[in-house]
Amino acid sequence: MKKLLTLFSLVAAFVLVISGCSNDSSGGKGEDGKVTLTAWAWNVNVGALNEAAEKFKKENPNVELKVEDIGRLDVYDKLSTGLAAGGVGLPDIVLVEDDRIHGYVESFPKGFLDLTKEGFDKHGESFPQFKNDMAKVNDTYYAMPFDAGPTGMFYRRSVFEKAGVNPEEIQTWDDFLEAGKTIKEKTGAFAMPLDKFKDDPTFRMMLNQLGVYYFDEKGNIDLTHPKAVQAMEMQKKFDEAGLIKDVDGWNGVVSATVDGSVATIPFGAWYYGTIIDQAKDSKGDWGVFQLPAFEEGGNRAANLGGSSWMIPAASKNAKEAYKFLEYFSTTPEIQTMAMEKHGLFPSLNTAYESELFTANDEFFGGQPIWKMFTEEMADVPTAYYTKDYSLGLDEAIKAQADTFNGKDAGKALEEAAKRLKDRTKRDINKH
């Protein structure tokens, strides 16, 4: 009997601890009727949330927001742990990168608030199709689109001028290949940087502009698609011509940006912030043009990066969290603030009506660079990530390394697809 009482006491204590964690995680209403929402985010997103919350409070004085600045990967560790525990310890609001949304919803189908039931679908036309596709699973919104990463070729004006290359004449990747050879010969600068054996951002951008990705719309492995092979073969052409500077991770890309050893950096619009922060002395020496197409008149739009906001279903303040996030995500002035002060390029198309998105940028030689990025958004194809995105990324990088080491691109991707099939049990799309 004594043992049973001891066991019961332990269980009761455990329940109290769990309940306490759950209550603390989402604030809750105080005796004065005020609600404290908790949010998990990282980096510049924290400042954007806090500023939006101050403006929101003017019309909603009963709502407070407590933002926890947590490292990106730490957010995912804590989120996964909380979801696996049935929602214990989770916040009311969490920032999630677009490539992870579908994976979380597929793994935890009841883990997040159904935003369609809350009425968010009425805002669908305010966002580009690809962001809507990322925010929805089976036509149901589980996330509110936030920032995006429309892509471009950030380039050094002085390097192009010294080589006698006009960026406006670069329409295709073949054009850029020839321009890169001229630039290397006359200036010594590489065409672009890449951590060739650890990351594949250029390959991902190429896939996206071609309308394919690691997986297709049905979730089948699509690495053997002819367009995927085309993209990998194009990268190989640049490598064989000695035009890719092999760098060590993110710091290597930034170093190449600062020292001018590369003529261009193909990246998302968010890289603007890194350039103006890390390469201050190069003000006026920058420009940007769209990704080259694979054929004359082909698509030049793609996206790299971006995130959205989600509300864990366990939130005790889901109603208030939804109201705040709806305000944050669909108010042009708020999205313009996030862009102007924090460099977060908005997905909300009504925000583009601000002068900010048509103004000339002095750091970029007076070019209205944001106009180019905003016009690109509507043409970005949807990338299908699935919950196995990280495994797809891993195998694509291996295929890229094999290709750069001399293997045929088609063969390398075929082998990667087979390994991915073994790891995910997904079918390979036959072409």
Side-chain angles (χ1 to χ4, degrees):
M1 182 67 179
K2 186 176 182 180
K3 289 183 179 180
L4 286 174
L5 288 173
T6 301
L7 178 62
F8 177 79
S9 298
L10 288 171
V11 171
F14 178 74
V15 170
L16 285 173
V17 169
I18 293 297
S19 298
C21 290
S22 180
N23 288 337
D24 291 342
S25 67
S26 296
K29 292 183 180 178
E31 293 181 1
D32 57 359
K34 288 192 174 183
V35 173
T36 299
L37 300 174
T38 57
W40 288 352
W42 59 84
N43 205 347
V44 291
N45 303 283
V46 174
L49 267 187
N50 281 325
E51 289 199 49
E54 289 303 310
K55 295 180 182 298
F56 183 74
K57 279 175 61 177
K58 293 179 180 179
E59 298 294 329
N60 302 273
N62 64 315
V63 178
E64 298 280 346
L65 180 67
K66 177 184 177 184
V67 185
E68 296 183 35
D69 188 352
I70 305 173
R72 181 177 64 89
L73 296 180
D74 290 335
V75 164
Y76 297 134
D77 286 342
K78 291 167 66 71
L79 180 60
S80 297
T81 299
L83 289 168
V88 172
L90 293 181
D92 300 294
I93 295 167
V94 62
L95 182 67
V96 178
E97 290 167 298
D98 291 344
D99 57 31
R100 295 178 183 253
I101 294 172
H102 280 233
Y104 269 118
V105 176
E106 288 177 30
S107 298
F108 303 98
K110 296 183 179 180
F112 297 94
L113 189 68
D114 180 335
L115 304 181
T116 297
K117 287 185 178 179
E118 302 298 321
F120 192 75
D121 55 323
K122 68 186 177 185
H123 299 295
E125 293 185 0
S126 297
F127 302 97
Q129 187 60 48
F130 83 96
K131 285 294 288 191
N132 279 319
D133 290 341
M134 293 298 96
K136 293 192 290 186
V137 178
N138 296 327
D139 292 326
T140 296
Y141 279 101
Y142 287 97
M144 295 189 194
F146 179 32
D147 68 312
T151 56
M153 308 287 283
F154 294 95
Y155 74 95
R156 285 270 191 168
R157 292 180 181 272
S158 58
V159 173
F160 272 63
E161 289 169 3
K162 184 177 180 180
V165 173
N166 182 354
E168 294 181 5
E169 294 178 357
I170 298 175
Q171 300 294 314
T172 67
W173 283 104
D174 284 327
D175 291 343
F176 184 50
L177 180 65
E178 294 307 310
K181 292 175 182 178
T182 300
I183 289 171
K184 184 76 179 294
E185 179 184 351
K186 295 188 176 182
T187 72
F190 292 86
M192 53 188 169
L194 180 67
D195 190 338
K196 297 194 292 187
F197 305 103
K198 295 178 185 175
D199 200 5
D200 72 338
T202 307
F203 181 57
R204 273 180 276 153
M205 287 184 276
M206 288 178 167
L207 289 178
N208 192 200
Q209 73 174 131
L210 287 169
V212 297
Y213 219 67
Y214 302 155
F215 306 96
D216 66 13
E217 187 175 3
K218 296 180 180 179
N220 295 319
I221 298 165
D222 216 18
L223 285 174
T224 58
H225 196 289
K227 290 183 178 180
V229 177
Q230 182 183 18
M232 191 66 82
E233 287 177 341
M234 182 59 72
Q235 276 203 144
K236 188 173 184 177
K237 288 181 182 179
F238 279 85
D239 188 53
E240 289 177 338
L243 301 180
I244 296 178
K245 182 175 184 179
D246 189 12
V247 297
D248 185 11
W250 174 258
N251 290 335
V253 174
V254 174
S255 294
T257 301
V258 174
D259 65 24
S261 58
V262 294
T264 75
I265 303 96
F267 253 152
W270 39 263
Y271 198 63
Y272 167 89
T274 300
I275 293 175
I276 64 173
D277 180 60
Q278 298 293 320
K280 294 183 178 68
D281 295 339
S282 60
K283 181 178 179 180
D285 191 32
W286 288 94
V288 63
F289 59 94
Q290 280 195 291
L291 292 184
F294 276 84
E295 66 281 325
E296 290 287 347
N299 179 48
R300 302 180 68 175
N303 182 78
L304 187 71
S307 56
S308 300
W309 300 99
M310 304 181 78
I311 301 174
S315 168
K316 289 190 170 76
N317 306 308
K319 181 179 179 180
E320 291 82 3
Y322 177 86
K323 186 177 180 180
F324 169 69
L325 281 186
E326 183 181 39
Y327 165 79
F328 183 91
S329 300
T330 64
T331 303
E333 293 76 17
I334 296 300
Q335 291 300 300
T336 301
M337 173 275 293
M339 171 66 190
E340 189 169 24
K341 293 188 177 182
H342 305 283
L344 294 160
F345 190 88
S347 299
L348 183 69
N349 54 39
T350 52
Y352 306 151
E353 297 171 9
S354 166
E355 291 183 6
L356 174 67
F357 295 96
T358 57
N360 297 332
D361 191 290
E362 290 186 15
F363 203 98
F364 276 70
Q367 181 183 355
I369 66 171
W370 303 116
K371 186 174 185 293
M372 185 200 83
F373 287 123
T374 58
E375 291 174 349
E376 180 181 344
M377 289 286 282
D379 297 324
V380 175
T382 299
Y384 298 100
Y385 294 109
T386 81
K387 66 184 179 67
D388 293 318
Y389 168 70
S390 62
L391 299 179
L393 173 64
D394 183 49
E395 293 300 344
I397 293 172
K398 290 177 183 176
Q400 176 177 275
D402 287 344
T403 302
F404 286 151
N405 281 329
K407 185 169 287 188
D408 174 77
K411 183 67 174 176
L413 287 168
E414 182 181 344
E415 292 174 354
K418 289 179 179 177
R419 292 192 301 268
L420 189 55
K421 179 180 180 179
D422 290 339
R423 297 175 72 179
T424 65
K425 309 306 176 187
R426 294 177 181 271
D427 292 331
I428 298 175
N429 193 355
K430 296 179 181 179
H431 298 282

